[in-house]
Amino acid sequence: GAVVSQHPSRVICKSGTSVKIECRSLDFQATTMFWYRQFPKQSLMLMATSNEGSKATYEQGVEKDKFLINHASLTLSTLTVTSAHPEDSSFYICSEELAGDNEQFFGPGTRLTVL
Amino acid sequence: GQQLNQSPQSMFIQEGEDVSMNCTSSSIFNTWLWYKQDPGEGPVLLIALYKAGELTSNGRLTAQFGITRKDSFLNISASIPSDVGIYFCAGPGRGTSYGKLTFGQGTILTVHP
């Protein structure tokens, strides 16, 4: 499978600040990556599909101006949570899919805590 | 939208026991994926199923793709403490946009030594 890294693994910030989370594909070039959010004791919810060289596709109910996604290269996608608030505190996980067979490989996740 | 119903929600078992969990859908799925998530980590792919009726093993894990294409189960034999975690089923379903997965609610597995 693919190896995906995320940075940082944990971040604590004050309300109103912006936080950038990086997702890197370490062994494959990924034209498409996915961003998920997971609240405690809940399942993964897809936030957006990140497309290299084009705009991300956001799921219904996800504010594109709040969760900025940039996929400028085939190995890096970034998620920026702008003007973060306590309700944005969550576990953010990215993934990539290989070979179009629907198997997604996930990064280790980023725990965001907004005070 | 498509939903996956996963059961049971949680299981408490003794080390050495076998475990079974399943996932059902109201619509047809073309692929079934089973993931395990350890606390504070991202999910790890355990088994992928692509054909109705397919039975696939990965060590002590066995999963099957239901013939109706609306269900799948995962069995774990002779459980050990490191099997503890949350198990998720997932799949793209028919008509789903490229790559988009729907996840079940998860089964929390606790193994007592």
Side-chain angles (χ1 to χ4, degrees):
Chain A
V3 180
V4 180
S5 71
Q6 279 184 245
H7 178 79
S9 58
R10 290 177 174 270
V11 57
I12 300 173
C13 69
K14 293 182 179 180
S15 184
T17 61
S18 294
V19 175
K20 179 186 284 188
I21 302 171
E22 294 184 346
C23 178
R24 292 184 183 274
S25 174
L26 300 182
D27 52 358
F28 290 96
Q29 293 183 330
T31 56
T32 302
M33 302 179 87
F34 304 90
W35 286 96
Y36 293 81
R37 179 168 52 181
Q38 185 179 32
F39 292 107
K41 299 188 178 182
Q42 293 189 21
S43 188
L44 283 75
M45 295 298 295
L46 180 65
M47 298 176 66
T49 302
S50 173
N51 305 298
E52 189 267 336
S54 65
K55 292 182 179 180
T57 304
Y58 290 83
E59 294 302 296
Q60 190 173 5
V62 178
E63 300 175 56
K64 62 180 182 180
D65 294 329
K66 181 169 184 62
F67 299 99
L68 301 179
I69 292 174
N70 184 281
H71 194 155
S73 78
L74 288 172
T75 59
L76 175 64
S77 175
T78 61
L79 168 68
T80 301
V81 183
T82 62
S83 187
H85 288 91
E87 58 265 29
D88 297 323
S89 298
S90 188
F91 193 52
Y92 292 86
I93 318 172
C94 67
S95 72
E96 68 172 0
E97 178 183 309
L98 303 180
D101 59 3
N102 299 125
E103 294 180 21
Q104 289 187 19
F105 296 90
F106 289 83
T110 297
R111 172 74 59 191
L112 171 63
T113 303
V114 185
L115 303 176
Chain B
Q2 293 159 327
Q3 290 185 324
L4 291 179
N5 296 310
Q6 193 171 342
S7 65
Q9 289 187 328
S10 61
M11 302 182 73
F12 299 84
I13 63 172
Q14 291 292 130
E15 182 177 359
E17 291 182 357
D18 297 342
V19 172
S20 184
M21 59 192 79
N22 67 79
C23 210
T24 61
S25 171
S26 58
S27 58
I28 290 174
F29 272 65
N30 297 317
T31 302
W32 284 96
L33 306 171
W34 284 94
Y35 288 88
K36 181 194 177 196
Q37 185 178 29
D38 290 329
E41 300 286 336
V44 173
L45 182 63
L46 299 175
I47 293 178
L49 302 162
Y50 296 100
K51 296 181 181 179
E54 179 181 356
L55 184 70
T56 298
S57 294
N58 178 6
R60 293 178 295 106
L61 279 61
T62 302
Q64 184 157 30
F65 193 142
I67 293 176
T68 65
R69 297 168 68 185
K70 293 184 178 181
D71 64 317
S72 176
F73 71 75
L74 174 70
N75 286 344
I76 305 173
S77 63
S79 59
I80 58 178
S82 61
D83 290 334
V84 166
I86 306 177
Y87 292 80
F88 291 102
C89 60
R94 173 176 290 181
T96 305
S97 299
Y98 172 77
K100 290 175 64 172
L101 293 180
T102 299
F103 280 79
Q105 305 97 319
T107 296
I108 302 172
L109 179 63
T110 303
V111 180
H112 294 289

